[in-house]
Amino acid sequence: METDRRVEASSAALTRGVSRPEQVGSARWRESLRTTPARIIGAGLLLAVLLVATAVVALGARMPASTLGEAAAGVAARTGTSARQIYVGLADADAAAGAAFLLPPGEELSTRLRADYRQKINEVEHALNVSMGAAADDPRRLARLATIAARLQRYEGIIADALAVAKPSDAVSNEQVLAAAYAREASHYLSAHLLPAAQALWDYDTRLLREARGEARWWAAASLLMPALTLAALVAVQWWLWQRTRRRLNVGLLVASLGVVAVLAMAVASWSHWPTAAKRFPVLETAIDDQSATQQRLGALLSGRADIYLGLGASVDPAGHRRDFDDRRLCDPPDGVDCTTLALVWTARQSSQPGAFRLAVNAVLEGGRAGESFDTATDTLTQRLDRGDKWVAAEVTNLETAPRQYGGEAAWVVLLAGVAALLGLRQRLIEYR
């Protein structure tokens, strides 16, 4: 037993002998971190991180601040109007294309309907060309316009094939059925690919206006809080050194503090329009959303008109066109069409009543009862879009012009403040060493 106790005592002593140097080393390390030079170095690293963050925020806040102003909002509103023209023009061209297949080629009315389709396409192409010229310095918008142009070219190709297949005939011929099938494919392609691309262009053009308030809220807070936090850190370090160095102010930290005060003043100047914009932007966003809803409603109306033309024409699936029309819910007031005028249209092609088809064609075209109902609904929605344009323009005018942005100047001032702070701390570090 005595031998075991001696062995345990020897082991404990050996263990204490091994751990003592490690404990001493750890204590020395902790003690070295508590020294004034180590704390000066730590303060320098903290200030460097805060100053870099302040410069980054100052640079990053320039764009969110500028998009709150009248100038940037006006650009977005104008490009949004051009996107709307393209969207509505595409839907209008598709309705004109559907009408072009109502009658066999050769008749005077058929020739006029085809010329009307060609005119609508030319109008869309002109709007695209103008928009592309205006988007020369915006690659992302230009890419979206190029996508619409490429899809429009494919759409025109399908319609051209359909027009080439159609031949003059008093009865429904195989060629007319094939042409109608081409037309249905073209209309589906426009609804599934062209119109969504045009709507995406509208969404892109108005994104700055819809998201500016949300982005600006965080950037405004960061632009003001980061300089304030950095200034507080500079004052704290200055106070600590003042107590440790015989009540002497550090010139470098003093210069850095003045520089950060200047940066804070620049941030206040850059965001001086934020309170007013924050109040007025919700109304502007509401106007934009209303425009978007009206635009899509008008597009659905024109696509529904194309459904009627295609269903009335030499289509192999008139019931399918009617389902497409019903799914668009175009009979609902207050801007819907009078669907009672369409009661005989869907079955006119299959009717055995003499002249039923010609009566239906006359009803859906310009001057007919159904045609007038569509024209009235189209005029109502077009006028609403025009009023919406004026509403958006008025709200844009109510926004204050964004003031001069000082992000670049602020970053340079922060850089100089950082140099001054590090030189001031280096001086104190040399004194202690």
Side-chain angles (χ1 to χ4, degrees):
M1 181 68 67
E2 186 66 24
T3 302
D4 293 340
R5 289 176 179 173
R6 290 176 180 175
V7 171
E8 291 176 0
S10 300
S11 299
L14 181 61
T15 302
R16 287 194 298 271
V18 173
S19 61
R20 188 177 296 113
E22 295 177 354
Q23 293 175 353
V24 171
S26 177
R28 289 177 177 175
W29 173 253
R30 289 196 300 270
E31 188 65 26
S32 66
L33 292 178
R34 295 192 184 99
T35 63
T36 298
R39 291 182 177 181
I40 291 176
I41 293 174
L45 293 175
L46 174 62
L47 291 177
V49 171
L50 290 175
L51 288 166
V52 169
T54 301
V56 171
V57 169
L59 288 173
R62 290 181 300 175
M63 181 59 69
S66 63
T67 55
L68 289 173
E70 179 185 353
V75 171
R78 287 193 299 273
T79 55
T81 299
S82 69
R84 188 257 288 179
Q85 292 172 347
I86 293 171
Y87 181 94
V88 175
L90 287 170
D92 200 11
D94 190 49
F101 293 96
L102 274 177
L103 299 170
E107 293 189 18
E108 180 181 354
L109 180 57
S110 174
T111 302
R112 182 168 61 83
L113 293 174
R114 297 187 182 203
D116 184 49
Y117 156 72
R118 190 65 254 171
Q119 178 184 351
K120 301 294 185 184
I121 288 294
N122 290 338
E123 291 174 357
V124 175
E125 291 176 340
H126 175 73
L128 276 172
N129 291 333
V130 172
S131 297
M132 285 183 173
D137 57 347
D138 188 347
R140 289 180 295 179
R141 187 172 194 271
L142 192 60
R144 285 170 168 79
L145 289 167
T147 298
I148 296 174
R151 293 180 180 180
L152 177 61
Q153 187 175 9
R154 180 177 177 183
Y155 172 83
E156 290 185 67
I158 300 174
I159 293 295
D161 291 340
L163 293 174
V165 167
K167 294 181 180 180
S169 176
D170 293 334
V172 177
S173 63
N174 293 334
E175 289 80 4
Q176 285 181 274
V177 173
L178 181 58
Y182 272 117
R184 178 176 175 80
E185 179 187 353
S187 184
H188 174 75
Y189 180 79
L190 182 134
S191 297
H193 300 283
L194 253 176
L195 288 183
Q199 182 63 34
L201 177 66
W202 165 276
D203 293 338
Y204 170 76
D205 283 341
T206 57
R207 176 181 58 83
L208 287 179
L209 296 182
R210 291 196 305 269
E211 297 179 357
R213 188 164 60 109
E215 291 183 2
R217 182 182 295 112
W218 300 107
W219 281 108
S223 298
L224 299 175
L225 289 178
M226 279 307 305
L229 182 61
T230 304
L231 181 61
L234 284 166
V235 171
V237 174
Q238 180 77 273
W239 174 259
W240 175 71
L241 284 180
W242 184 69
Q243 290 184 320
R244 308 275 302 185
T245 56
R246 301 176 183 178
R247 304 298 191 266
R248 287 187 301 163
L249 288 176
N250 187 287
V251 177
L253 293 179
L254 181 60
V255 172
S257 299
L258 294 175
V260 174
V261 169
V263 171
L264 186 59
M266 292 179 185
V268 172
S270 298
W271 290 96
S272 59
H273 61 315
W274 162 249
T276 302
K279 295 179 181 178
R280 292 175 176 170
F281 251 83
V283 181
L284 178 57
E285 291 169 359
T286 299
I288 292 170
D289 290 339
D290 183 76
Q291 279 289 80
S292 181
T294 304
Q295 169 181 292
Q296 294 183 61
R297 177 69 172 174
L298 180 56
L301 177 70
L302 296 171
S303 296
R305 196 166 194 172
D307 291 333
I308 292 175
Y309 292 152
L310 294 174
L312 184 58
S315 174
V316 294
D317 187 21
H321 291 297
R322 183 171 186 176
R323 285 193 301 271
D324 292 341
F325 177 86
D326 292 338
D327 289 342
R328 303 184 197 279
R329 303 181 64 86
L330 298 176
C331 303
D332 299 339
D335 50 23
V337 298
D338 182 5
C339 291
T340 59
T341 62
L342 303 175
L344 300 177
V345 169
W346 299 110
T347 58
R349 175 65 80 172
Q350 293 77 28
S351 176
S352 59
Q353 181 179 354
F357 173 72
R358 180 63 65 170
L359 289 174
V361 170
N362 293 336
V364 299
L365 292 179
E366 182 179 355
R369 288 184 59 199
E372 288 181 350
S373 179
F374 271 98
D375 290 340
T376 299
T378 301
D379 290 342
T380 298
L381 291 172
T382 301
Q383 290 173 10
R384 186 185 301 172
L385 280 177
D386 293 338
R387 290 194 300 269
D389 285 342
K390 296 178 181 178
W391 183 16
V392 171
E395 294 303 325
V396 168
T397 303
N398 286 336
L399 293 176
E400 295 182 4
T401 302
R404 178 183 174 184
Q405 299 301 303
Y406 295 95
E409 294 87 341
W412 280 108
V413 173
V414 170
L415 175 62
L416 296 176
V419 172
L422 293 179
L423 289 177
L425 291 176
R426 180 176 178 274
Q427 177 188 354
R428 288 294 180 262
L429 185 61
I430 292 175
E431 291 175 357
Y432 270 92
R433 288 181 173 177

